[in-house]
Amino acid sequence: MVYRLEHVGLGTRRDAYPATVRFYEQVFGWHRVREEAGELTFVGDGTGARLEIFPTDAPPLVDPHHLAFAVSAEDFDAVYRALVEAGASPAAPFINTFGDRIAFFDDPGGNRAQIVARVAPLAE
């Protein structure tokens, strides 16, 4: 039996909690799946990927640990601009040894993430 990943839990500073939820809605077009009275919010992409965002005093997800968001090569520059418009300061995009285009950024809670346009998408 194989079980699917239901969600990834992502802690954020308490003062950045609302901004972090809005960030993933604004930049990536994700929507709120469930909210629990300011204690946690699930956001999803509509195809099964979900983040559980919750306020915490724990440190953020930092480099080298990160979230990765797949974007098409055609949309990469537009998503990069959306990150900047949302207040993130993404690093300069680069191409890795496999030909994938990548840019790292921090969300409002200080969590490390990336956008990636893969030459060969990951298989299921």
Side-chain angles (χ1 to χ4, degrees):
M1 170 74 59
V2 173
Y3 297 96
R4 68 180 179 84
L5 178 68
E6 193 222 31
H7 73 274
V8 172
L10 185 64
T12 186
R13 294 186 331 265
R14 294 178 189 285
D15 64 327
Y17 171 67
T20 302
V21 172
R22 284 191 307 273
F23 179 83
Y24 288 101
E25 292 173 320
Q26 178 184 349
V27 173
F28 296 106
W30 288 37
H31 63 280
R32 295 176 196 209
V33 175
R34 181 183 297 166
E35 288 184 274
E36 300 294 340
E39 293 298 318
L40 64 91
T41 301
F42 286 93
V43 294
D45 69 356
T47 65
R50 295 178 207 88
L51 290 176
E52 174 190 11
I53 302 170
F54 54 91
T56 182
D57 295 324
L61 189 63
V62 296
D63 190 27
H65 308 285
H66 62 276
L67 303 172
F69 295 89
V71 300
S72 68
E74 297 80 21
D75 290 343
F76 189 94
D77 290 330
V79 175
Y80 188 89
R81 284 191 303 275
L83 288 167
V84 173
E85 291 168 6
S89 296
F94 66 95
I95 297 176
N96 69 11
T97 57
F98 310 108
D100 304 323
R101 191 169 180 207
I102 297 170
F104 282 93
F105 63 92
D106 293 335
D107 72 11
N111 294 294
R112 193 71 166 156
Q114 70 174 215
I115 54 174
V116 57
R118 294 206 184 273
V119 172
L122 299 178
E124 287 296 320

PDB file of all heavy atoms in Angstrom, residues 55-94:
ATOM      1  N   PRO A  55       0.948  29.628  13.523  1.00  0.00           N
ATOM      2  CA  PRO A  55       1.845  30.504  14.272  1.00  0.00           C
ATOM      3  C   PRO A  55       2.644  29.701  15.301  1.00  0.00           C
ATOM      4  O   PRO A  55       2.116  28.776  15.917  1.00  0.00           O
ATOM      5  CB  PRO A  55       0.902  31.496  14.940  1.00  0.00           C
ATOM      6  CG  PRO A  55      -0.416  30.807  15.010  1.00  0.00           C
ATOM      7  CD  PRO A  55      -0.454  29.832  13.886  1.00  0.00           C
ATOM      8  N   THR A  56       3.914  30.084  15.462  1.00  0.00           N
ATOM      9  CA  THR A  56       4.779  29.364  16.393  1.00  0.00           C
ATOM     10  C   THR A  56       5.920  30.263  16.838  1.00  0.00           C
ATOM     11  O   THR A  56       6.233  31.255  16.176  1.00  0.00           O
ATOM     12  CB  THR A  56       5.344  28.080  15.736  1.00  0.00           C
ATOM     13  OG1 THR A  56       6.152  27.378  16.683  1.00  0.00           O
ATOM     14  CG2 THR A  56       6.168  28.403  14.513  1.00  0.00           C
ATOM     15  N   ASP A  57       6.526  29.897  17.941  1.00  0.00           N
ATOM     16  CA  ASP A  57       7.734  30.582  18.401  1.00  0.00           C
ATOM     17  C   ASP A  57       8.991  29.845  17.937  1.00  0.00           C
ATOM     18  O   ASP A  57      10.103  30.294  18.198  1.00  0.00           O
ATOM     19  CB  ASP A  57       7.728  30.684  19.936  1.00  0.00           C
ATOM     20  CG  ASP A  57       6.598  31.566  20.432  1.00  0.00           C
ATOM     21  OD1 ASP A  57       6.285  32.567  19.764  1.00  0.00           O
ATOM     22  OD2 ASP A  57       6.009  31.239  21.483  1.00  0.00           O
ATOM     23  N   ALA A  58       8.810  28.720  17.245  1.00  0.00           N
ATOM     24  CA  ALA A  58       9.948  27.960  16.735  1.00  0.00           C
ATOM     25  C   ALA A  58      10.590  28.713  15.570  1.00  0.00           C
ATOM     26  O   ALA A  58       9.943  29.526  14.918  1.00  0.00           O
ATOM     27  CB  ALA A  58       9.477  26.587  16.280  1.00  0.00           C
ATOM     28  N   PRO A  59      11.851  28.441  15.285  1.00  0.00           N
ATOM     29  CA  PRO A  59      12.513  29.119  14.173  1.00  0.00           C
ATOM     30  C   PRO A  59      11.911  28.696  12.830  1.00  0.00           C
ATOM     31  O   PRO A  59      11.316  27.622  12.716  1.00  0.00           O
ATOM     32  CB  PRO A  59      13.970  28.670  14.292  1.00  0.00           C
ATOM     33  CG  PRO A  59      13.933  27.415  15.085  1.00  0.00           C
ATOM     34  CD  PRO A  59      12.737  27.502  15.980  1.00  0.00           C
ATOM     35  N   PRO A  60      12.083  29.528  11.793  1.00  0.00           N
ATOM     36  CA  PRO A  60      11.545  29.208  10.468  1.00  0.00           C
ATOM     37  C   PRO A  60      12.365  28.126   9.779  1.00  0.00           C
ATOM     38  O   PRO A  60      13.463  27.771  10.212  1.00  0.00           O
ATOM     39  CB  PRO A  60      11.656  30.534   9.711  1.00  0.00           C
ATOM     40  CG  PRO A  60      12.800  31.236  10.360  1.00  0.00           C
ATOM     41  CD  PRO A  60      12.740  30.842  11.818  1.00  0.00           C
ATOM     42  N   LEU A  61      11.817  27.636   8.678  1.00  0.00           N
ATOM     43  CA  LEU A  61      12.503  26.695   7.807  1.00  0.00           C
ATOM     44  C   LEU A  61      13.603  27.464   7.082  1.00  0.00           C
ATOM     45  O   LEU A  61      13.339  28.405   6.358  1.00  0.00           O
ATOM     46  CB  LEU A  61      11.485  26.152   6.800  1.00  0.00           C
ATOM     47  CG  LEU A  61      11.856  24.997   5.906  1.00  0.00           C
ATOM     48  CD1 LEU A  61      12.134  23.751   6.737  1.00  0.00           C
ATOM     49  CD2 LEU A  61      10.712  24.723   4.950  1.00  0.00           C
ATOM     50  N   VAL A  62      14.856  27.098   7.335  1.00  0.00           N
ATOM     51  CA  VAL A  62      15.985  27.860   6.781  1.00  0.00           C
ATOM     52  C   VAL A  62      16.834  26.996   5.857  1.00  0.00           C
ATOM     53  O   VAL A  62      16.807  25.773   5.927  1.00  0.00           O
ATOM     54  CB  VAL A  62      16.868  28.467   7.898  1.00  0.00           C
ATOM     55  CG1 VAL A  62      16.090  29.493   8.709  1.00  0.00           C
ATOM     56  CG2 VAL A  62      17.423  27.393   8.822  1.00  0.00           C
ATOM     57  N   ASP A  63      17.606  27.673   5.016  1.00  0.00           N
ATOM     58  CA  ASP A  63      18.502  27.032   4.070  1.00  0.00           C
ATOM     59  C   ASP A  63      19.444  26.077   4.808  1.00  0.00           C
ATOM     60  O   ASP A  63      19.959  26.446   5.847  1.00  0.00           O
ATOM     61  CB  ASP A  63      19.301  28.136   3.359  1.00  0.00           C
ATOM     62  CG  ASP A  63      20.105  27.632   2.193  1.00  0.00           C
ATOM     63  OD1 ASP A  63      19.697  26.620   1.609  1.00  0.00           O
ATOM     64  OD2 ASP A  63      21.123  28.257   1.869  1.00  0.00           O
ATOM     65  N   PRO A  64      19.598  24.847   4.375  1.00  0.00           N
ATOM     66  CA  PRO A  64      19.251  24.322   3.067  1.00  0.00           C
ATOM     67  C   PRO A  64      17.843  23.731   2.983  1.00  0.00           C
ATOM     68  O   PRO A  64      17.408  23.354   1.907  1.00  0.00           O
ATOM     69  CB  PRO A  64      20.289  23.221   2.839  1.00  0.00           C
ATOM     70  CG  PRO A  64      20.508  22.657   4.206  1.00  0.00           C
ATOM     71  CD  PRO A  64      20.417  23.875   5.125  1.00  0.00           C
ATOM     72  N   HIS A  65      17.104  23.636   4.089  1.00  0.00           N
ATOM     73  CA  HIS A  65      15.739  23.107   4.071  1.00  0.00           C
ATOM     74  C   HIS A  65      14.855  24.124   3.360  1.00  0.00           C
ATOM     75  O   HIS A  65      15.016  25.332   3.544  1.00  0.00           O
ATOM     76  CB  HIS A  65      15.237  22.858   5.493  1.00  0.00           C
ATOM     77  CG  HIS A  65      16.194  22.018   6.286  1.00  0.00           C
ATOM     78  ND1 HIS A  65      16.324  20.667   6.092  1.00  0.00           N
ATOM     79  CD2 HIS A  65      17.097  22.355   7.234  1.00  0.00           C
ATOM     80  CE1 HIS A  65      17.255  20.193   6.920  1.00  0.00           C
ATOM     81  NE2 HIS A  65      17.731  21.193   7.612  1.00  0.00           N
ATOM     82  N   HIS A  66      13.899  23.653   2.568  1.00  0.00           N
ATOM     83  CA  HIS A  66      13.067  24.589   1.815  1.00  0.00           C
ATOM     84  C   HIS A  66      11.832  23.900   1.259  1.00  0.00           C
ATOM     85  O   HIS A  66      11.770  22.677   1.177  1.00  0.00           O
ATOM     86  CB  HIS A  66      13.865  25.202   0.652  1.00  0.00           C
ATOM     87  CG  HIS A  66      14.337  24.193  -0.347  1.00  0.00           C
ATOM     88  ND1 HIS A  66      15.490  23.466  -0.168  1.00  0.00           N
ATOM     89  CD2 HIS A  66      13.814  23.775  -1.527  1.00  0.00           C
ATOM     90  CE1 HIS A  66      15.655  22.647  -1.194  1.00  0.00           C
ATOM     91  NE2 HIS A  66      14.656  22.802  -2.035  1.00  0.00           N
ATOM     92  N   LEU A  67      10.878  24.719   0.871  1.00  0.00           N
ATOM     93  CA  LEU A  67       9.729  24.288   0.092  1.00  0.00           C
ATOM     94  C   LEU A  67      10.058  24.575  -1.361  1.00  0.00           C
ATOM     95  O   LEU A  67      10.797  25.518  -1.653  1.00  0.00           O
ATOM     96  CB  LEU A  67       8.482  25.098   0.470  1.00  0.00           C
ATOM     97  CG  LEU A  67       8.072  25.065   1.933  1.00  0.00           C
ATOM     98  CD1 LEU A  67       6.957  26.059   2.182  1.00  0.00           C
ATOM     99  CD2 LEU A  67       7.630  23.670   2.311  1.00  0.00           C
ATOM    100  N   ALA A  68       9.514  23.817  -2.285  1.00  0.00           N
ATOM    101  CA  ALA A  68       9.759  24.063  -3.708  1.00  0.00           C
ATOM    102  C   ALA A  68       8.422  24.120  -4.443  1.00  0.00           C
ATOM    103  O   ALA A  68       7.586  23.234  -4.277  1.00  0.00           O
ATOM    104  CB  ALA A  68      10.636  22.972  -4.298  1.00  0.00           C
ATOM    105  N   PHE A  69       8.256  25.162  -5.241  1.00  0.00           N
ATOM    106  CA  PHE A  69       7.039  25.357  -6.014  1.00  0.00           C
ATOM    107  C   PHE A  69       7.373  25.248  -7.495  1.00  0.00           C
ATOM    108  O   PHE A  69       8.187  26.011  -8.010  1.00  0.00           O
ATOM    109  CB  PHE A  69       6.410  26.721  -5.698  1.00  0.00           C
ATOM    110  CG  PHE A  69       5.936  26.805  -4.285  1.00  0.00           C
ATOM    111  CD1 PHE A  69       6.789  27.240  -3.281  1.00  0.00           C
ATOM    112  CD2 PHE A  69       4.654  26.407  -3.947  1.00  0.00           C
ATOM    113  CE1 PHE A  69       6.365  27.290  -1.964  1.00  0.00           C
ATOM    114  CE2 PHE A  69       4.227  26.445  -2.627  1.00  0.00           C
ATOM    115  CZ  PHE A  69       5.082  26.888  -1.635  1.00  0.00           C
ATOM    116  N   ALA A  70       6.752  24.288  -8.176  1.00  0.00           N
ATOM    117  CA  ALA A  70       6.989  24.083  -9.596  1.00  0.00           C
ATOM    118  C   ALA A  70       6.250  25.142 -10.395  1.00  0.00           C
ATOM    119  O   ALA A  70       5.066  25.401 -10.156  1.00  0.00           O
ATOM    120  CB  ALA A  70       6.506  22.697 -10.017  1.00  0.00           C
ATOM    121  N   VAL A  71       6.964  25.773 -11.319  1.00  0.00           N
ATOM    122  CA  VAL A  71       6.366  26.718 -12.253  1.00  0.00           C
ATOM    123  C   VAL A  71       6.862  26.346 -13.652  1.00  0.00           C
ATOM    124  O   VAL A  71       7.914  25.730 -13.799  1.00  0.00           O
ATOM    125  CB  VAL A  71       6.722  28.187 -11.918  1.00  0.00           C
ATOM    126  CG1 VAL A  71       6.239  28.552 -10.515  1.00  0.00           C
ATOM    127  CG2 VAL A  71       8.209  28.441 -12.025  1.00  0.00           C
ATOM    128  N   SER A  72       6.102  26.713 -14.657  1.00  0.00           N
ATOM    129  CA  SER A  72       6.549  26.434 -16.017  1.00  0.00           C
ATOM    130  C   SER A  72       7.651  27.410 -16.398  1.00  0.00           C
ATOM    131  O   SER A  72       7.766  28.497 -15.815  1.00  0.00           O
ATOM    132  CB  SER A  72       5.379  26.557 -16.997  1.00  0.00           C
ATOM    133  OG  SER A  72       4.968  27.915 -17.089  1.00  0.00           O
ATOM    134  N   ALA A  73       8.443  27.038 -17.377  1.00  0.00           N
ATOM    135  CA  ALA A  73       9.493  27.937 -17.865  1.00  0.00           C
ATOM    136  C   ALA A  73       8.879  29.236 -18.364  1.00  0.00           C
ATOM    137  O   ALA A  73       9.438  30.321 -18.161  1.00  0.00           O
ATOM    138  CB  ALA A  73      10.294  27.248 -18.963  1.00  0.00           C
ATOM    139  N   GLU A  74       7.712  29.144 -18.977  1.00  0.00           N
ATOM    140  CA  GLU A  74       7.032  30.330 -19.504  1.00  0.00           C
ATOM    141  C   GLU A  74       6.550  31.265 -18.394  1.00  0.00           C
ATOM    142  O   GLU A  74       6.488  32.474 -18.580  1.00  0.00           O
ATOM    143  CB  GLU A  74       5.839  29.924 -20.380  1.00  0.00           C
ATOM    144  CG  GLU A  74       6.213  29.140 -21.618  1.00  0.00           C
ATOM    145  CD  GLU A  74       6.492  27.652 -21.340  1.00  0.00           C
ATOM    146  OE1 GLU A  74       6.039  27.111 -20.298  1.00  0.00           O
ATOM    147  OE2 GLU A  74       7.189  27.035 -22.152  1.00  0.00           O
ATOM    148  N   ASP A  75       6.187  30.716 -17.232  1.00  0.00           N
ATOM    149  CA  ASP A  75       5.654  31.520 -16.122  1.00  0.00           C
ATOM    150  C   ASP A  75       6.717  31.959 -15.123  1.00  0.00           C
ATOM    151  O   ASP A  75       6.432  32.738 -14.220  1.00  0.00           O
ATOM    152  CB  ASP A  75       4.578  30.729 -15.365  1.00  0.00           C
ATOM    153  CG  ASP A  75       3.314  30.559 -16.175  1.00  0.00           C
ATOM    154  OD1 ASP A  75       3.113  31.297 -17.159  1.00  0.00           O
ATOM    155  OD2 ASP A  75       2.510  29.663 -15.823  1.00  0.00           O
ATOM    156  N   PHE A  76       7.929  31.448 -15.251  1.00  0.00           N
ATOM    157  CA  PHE A  76       8.963  31.690 -14.243  1.00  0.00           C
ATOM    158  C   PHE A  76       9.159  33.181 -13.971  1.00  0.00           C
ATOM    159  O   PHE A  76       9.131  33.614 -12.821  1.00  0.00           O
ATOM    160  CB  PHE A  76      10.294  31.055 -14.668  1.00  0.00           C
ATOM    161  CG  PHE A  76      11.343  31.074 -13.584  1.00  0.00           C
ATOM    162  CD1 PHE A  76      11.500  30.000 -12.740  1.00  0.00           C
ATOM    163  CD2 PHE A  76      12.160  32.190 -13.402  1.00  0.00           C
ATOM    164  CE1 PHE A  76      12.455  30.009 -11.737  1.00  0.00           C
ATOM    165  CE2 PHE A  76      13.126  32.220 -12.407  1.00  0.00           C
ATOM    166  CZ  PHE A  76      13.273  31.120 -11.562  1.00  0.00           C
ATOM    167  N   ASP A  77       9.357  33.991 -15.002  1.00  0.00           N
ATOM    168  CA  ASP A  77       9.611  35.417 -14.792  1.00  0.00           C
ATOM    169  C   ASP A  77       8.423  36.127 -14.152  1.00  0.00           C
ATOM    170  O   ASP A  77       8.607  36.997 -13.303  1.00  0.00           O
ATOM    171  CB  ASP A  77      10.003  36.098 -16.112  1.00  0.00           C
ATOM    172  CG  ASP A  77      11.381  35.661 -16.598  1.00  0.00           C
ATOM    173  OD1 ASP A  77      12.253  35.328 -15.755  1.00  0.00           O
ATOM    174  OD2 ASP A  77      11.584  35.642 -17.826  1.00  0.00           O
ATOM    175  N   ALA A  78       7.203  35.742 -14.529  1.00  0.00           N
ATOM    176  CA  ALA A  78       6.010  36.356 -13.947  1.00  0.00           C
ATOM    177  C   ALA A  78       5.892  36.015 -12.457  1.00  0.00           C
ATOM    178  O   ALA A  78       5.543  36.873 -11.635  1.00  0.00           O
ATOM    179  CB  ALA A  78       4.755  35.914 -14.694  1.00  0.00           C
ATOM    180  N   VAL A  79       6.182  34.774 -12.092  1.00  0.00           N
ATOM    181  CA  VAL A  79       6.127  34.383 -10.680  1.00  0.00           C
ATOM    182  C   VAL A  79       7.242  35.087  -9.908  1.00  0.00           C
ATOM    183  O   VAL A  79       7.031  35.554  -8.786  1.00  0.00           O
ATOM    184  CB  VAL A  79       6.206  32.846 -10.522  1.00  0.00           C
ATOM    185  CG1 VAL A  79       6.273  32.452  -9.049  1.00  0.00           C
ATOM    186  CG2 VAL A  79       5.015  32.183 -11.197  1.00  0.00           C
ATOM    187  N   TYR A  80       8.402  35.202 -10.505  1.00  0.00           N
ATOM    188  CA  TYR A  80       9.506  35.932  -9.868  1.00  0.00           C
ATOM    189  C   TYR A  80       9.082  37.375  -9.576  1.00  0.00           C
ATOM    190  O   TYR A  80       9.293  37.880  -8.471  1.00  0.00           O
ATOM    191  CB  TYR A  80      10.742  35.893 -10.777  1.00  0.00           C
ATOM    192  CG  TYR A  80      11.987  36.447 -10.127  1.00  0.00           C
ATOM    193  CD1 TYR A  80      12.830  35.623  -9.399  1.00  0.00           C
ATOM    194  CD2 TYR A  80      12.313  37.801 -10.236  1.00  0.00           C
ATOM    195  CE1 TYR A  80      13.979  36.123  -8.804  1.00  0.00           C
ATOM    196  CE2 TYR A  80      13.460  38.306  -9.634  1.00  0.00           C
ATOM    197  CZ  TYR A  80      14.284  37.465  -8.930  1.00  0.00           C
ATOM    198  OH  TYR A  80      15.409  37.966  -8.330  1.00  0.00           O
ATOM    199  N   ARG A  81       8.446  38.032 -10.550  1.00  0.00           N
ATOM    200  CA  ARG A  81       7.953  39.405 -10.337  1.00  0.00           C
ATOM    201  C   ARG A  81       6.890  39.443  -9.239  1.00  0.00           C
ATOM    202  O   ARG A  81       6.855  40.364  -8.432  1.00  0.00           O
ATOM    203  CB  ARG A  81       7.404  39.987 -11.633  1.00  0.00           C
ATOM    204  CG  ARG A  81       8.486  40.418 -12.612  1.00  0.00           C
ATOM    205  CD  ARG A  81       7.932  41.228 -13.776  1.00  0.00           C
ATOM    206  NE  ARG A  81       6.897  40.532 -14.533  1.00  0.00           N
ATOM    207  CZ  ARG A  81       7.124  39.678 -15.526  1.00  0.00           C
ATOM    208  NH1 ARG A  81       8.372  39.392 -15.889  1.00  0.00           N
ATOM    209  NH2 ARG A  81       6.118  39.109 -16.152  1.00  0.00           N
ATOM    210  N   ALA A  82       6.019  38.432  -9.194  1.00  0.00           N
ATOM    211  CA  ALA A  82       4.988  38.369  -8.157  1.00  0.00           C
ATOM    212  C   ALA A  82       5.615  38.260  -6.771  1.00  0.00           C
ATOM    213  O   ALA A  82       5.117  38.838  -5.804  1.00  0.00           O
ATOM    214  CB  ALA A  82       4.035  37.201  -8.410  1.00  0.00           C
ATOM    215  N   LEU A  83       6.715  37.521  -6.656  1.00  0.00           N
ATOM    216  CA  LEU A  83       7.431  37.431  -5.381  1.00  0.00           C
ATOM    217  C   LEU A  83       7.922  38.811  -4.952  1.00  0.00           C
ATOM    218  O   LEU A  83       7.747  39.214  -3.801  1.00  0.00           O
ATOM    219  CB  LEU A  83       8.626  36.477  -5.493  1.00  0.00           C
ATOM    220  CG  LEU A  83       8.317  34.992  -5.592  1.00  0.00           C
ATOM    221  CD1 LEU A  83       9.549  34.219  -6.017  1.00  0.00           C
ATOM    222  CD2 LEU A  83       7.786  34.478  -4.262  1.00  0.00           C
ATOM    223  N   VAL A  84       8.516  39.531  -5.880  1.00  0.00           N
ATOM    224  CA  VAL A  84       9.016  40.881  -5.582  1.00  0.00           C
ATOM    225  C   VAL A  84       7.858  41.795  -5.192  1.00  0.00           C
ATOM    226  O   VAL A  84       7.928  42.522  -4.190  1.00  0.00           O
ATOM    227  CB  VAL A  84       9.797  41.451  -6.785  1.00  0.00           C
ATOM    228  CG1 VAL A  84      10.164  42.905  -6.558  1.00  0.00           C
ATOM    229  CG2 VAL A  84      11.053  40.615  -7.044  1.00  0.00           C
ATOM    230  N   GLU A  85       6.769  41.757  -5.950  1.00  0.00           N
ATOM    231  CA  GLU A  85       5.597  42.599  -5.662  1.00  0.00           C
ATOM    232  C   GLU A  85       4.982  42.264  -4.312  1.00  0.00           C
ATOM    233  O   GLU A  85       4.393  43.129  -3.666  1.00  0.00           O
ATOM    234  CB  GLU A  85       4.571  42.449  -6.779  1.00  0.00           C
ATOM    235  CG  GLU A  85       5.032  43.069  -8.084  1.00  0.00           C
ATOM    236  CD  GLU A  85       4.169  42.683  -9.275  1.00  0.00           C
ATOM    237  OE1 GLU A  85       3.132  42.007  -9.083  1.00  0.00           O
ATOM    238  OE2 GLU A  85       4.550  43.039 -10.407  1.00  0.00           O
ATOM    239  N   ALA A  86       5.105  41.019  -3.869  1.00  0.00           N
ATOM    240  CA  ALA A  86       4.556  40.603  -2.579  1.00  0.00           C
ATOM    241  C   ALA A  86       5.490  40.927  -1.414  1.00  0.00           C
ATOM    242  O   ALA A  86       5.188  40.635  -0.270  1.00  0.00           O
ATOM    243  CB  ALA A  86       4.248  39.108  -2.588  1.00  0.00           C
ATOM    244  N   GLY A  87       6.643  41.541  -1.715  1.00  0.00           N
ATOM    245  CA  GLY A  87       7.552  41.953  -0.652  1.00  0.00           C
ATOM    246  C   GLY A  87       8.704  41.011  -0.387  1.00  0.00           C
ATOM    247  O   GLY A  87       9.529  41.277   0.492  1.00  0.00           O
ATOM    248  N   ALA A  88       8.776  39.896  -1.109  1.00  0.00           N
ATOM    249  CA  ALA A  88       9.915  38.981  -0.940  1.00  0.00           C
ATOM    250  C   ALA A  88      11.126  39.583  -1.652  1.00  0.00           C
ATOM    251  O   ALA A  88      10.990  40.438  -2.514  1.00  0.00           O
ATOM    252  CB  ALA A  88       9.582  37.612  -1.528  1.00  0.00           C
ATOM    253  N   SER A  89      12.286  39.140  -1.257  1.00  0.00           N
ATOM    254  CA  SER A  89      13.526  39.553  -1.923  1.00  0.00           C
ATOM    255  C   SER A  89      14.191  38.297  -2.479  1.00  0.00           C
ATOM    256  O   SER A  89      15.159  37.787  -1.908  1.00  0.00           O
ATOM    257  CB  SER A  89      14.457  40.253  -0.939  1.00  0.00           C
ATOM    258  OG  SER A  89      13.875  41.444  -0.470  1.00  0.00           O
ATOM    259  N   PRO A  90      13.675  37.790  -3.603  1.00  0.00           N
ATOM    260  CA  PRO A  90      14.251  36.546  -4.122  1.00  0.00           C
ATOM    261  C   PRO A  90      15.684  36.739  -4.586  1.00  0.00           C
ATOM    262  O   PRO A  90      16.067  37.812  -5.046  1.00  0.00           O
ATOM    263  CB  PRO A  90      13.332  36.192  -5.295  1.00  0.00           C
ATOM    264  CG  PRO A  90      12.669  37.460  -5.684  1.00  0.00           C
ATOM    265  CD  PRO A  90      12.599  38.305  -4.443  1.00  0.00           C
ATOM    266  N   ALA A  91      16.453  35.678  -4.435  1.00  0.00           N
ATOM    267  CA  ALA A  91      17.825  35.674  -4.949  1.00  0.00           C
ATOM    268  C   ALA A  91      17.764  35.646  -6.470  1.00  0.00           C
ATOM    269  O   ALA A  91      16.743  35.282  -7.062  1.00  0.00           O
ATOM    270  CB  ALA A  91      18.569  34.451  -4.424  1.00  0.00           C
ATOM    271  N   ALA A  92      18.849  36.006  -7.090  1.00  0.00           N
ATOM    272  CA  ALA A  92      18.920  35.974  -8.550  1.00  0.00           C
ATOM    273  C   ALA A  92      18.678  34.551  -9.042  1.00  0.00           C
ATOM    274  O   ALA A  92      19.220  33.600  -8.478  1.00  0.00           O
ATOM    275  CB  ALA A  92      20.273  36.478  -9.018  1.00  0.00           C
ATOM    276  N   PRO A  93      17.884  34.405 -10.087  1.00  0.00           N
ATOM    277  CA  PRO A  93      17.663  33.070 -10.644  1.00  0.00           C
ATOM    278  C   PRO A  93      18.967  32.474 -11.173  1.00  0.00           C
ATOM    279  O   PRO A  93      19.864  33.202 -11.594  1.00  0.00           O
ATOM    280  CB  PRO A  93      16.698  33.323 -11.808  1.00  0.00           C
ATOM    281  CG  PRO A  93      16.056  34.634 -11.515  1.00  0.00           C
ATOM    282  CD  PRO A  93      17.097  35.426 -10.775  1.00  0.00           C
ATOM    283  N   PHE A  94      19.051  31.155 -11.123  1.00  0.00           N
ATOM    284  CA  PHE A  94      20.206  30.463 -11.678  1.00  0.00           C
ATOM    285  C   PHE A  94      19.737  29.166 -12.319  1.00  0.00           C
ATOM    286  O   PHE A  94      18.610  28.725 -12.098  1.00  0.00           O
ATOM    287  CB  PHE A  94      21.268  30.191 -10.600  1.00  0.00           C
ATOM    288  CG  PHE A  94      20.829  29.226  -9.536  1.00  0.00           C
ATOM    289  CD1 PHE A  94      21.131  27.871  -9.640  1.00  0.00           C
ATOM    290  CD2 PHE A  94      20.121  29.666  -8.417  1.00  0.00           C
ATOM    291  CE1 PHE A  94      20.734  26.973  -8.648  1.00  0.00           C
ATOM    292  CE2 PHE A  94      19.720  28.775  -7.436  1.00  0.00           C
ATOM    293  CZ  PHE A  94      20.021  27.429  -7.550  1.00  0.00           C
TER     294      PHE A  94
END
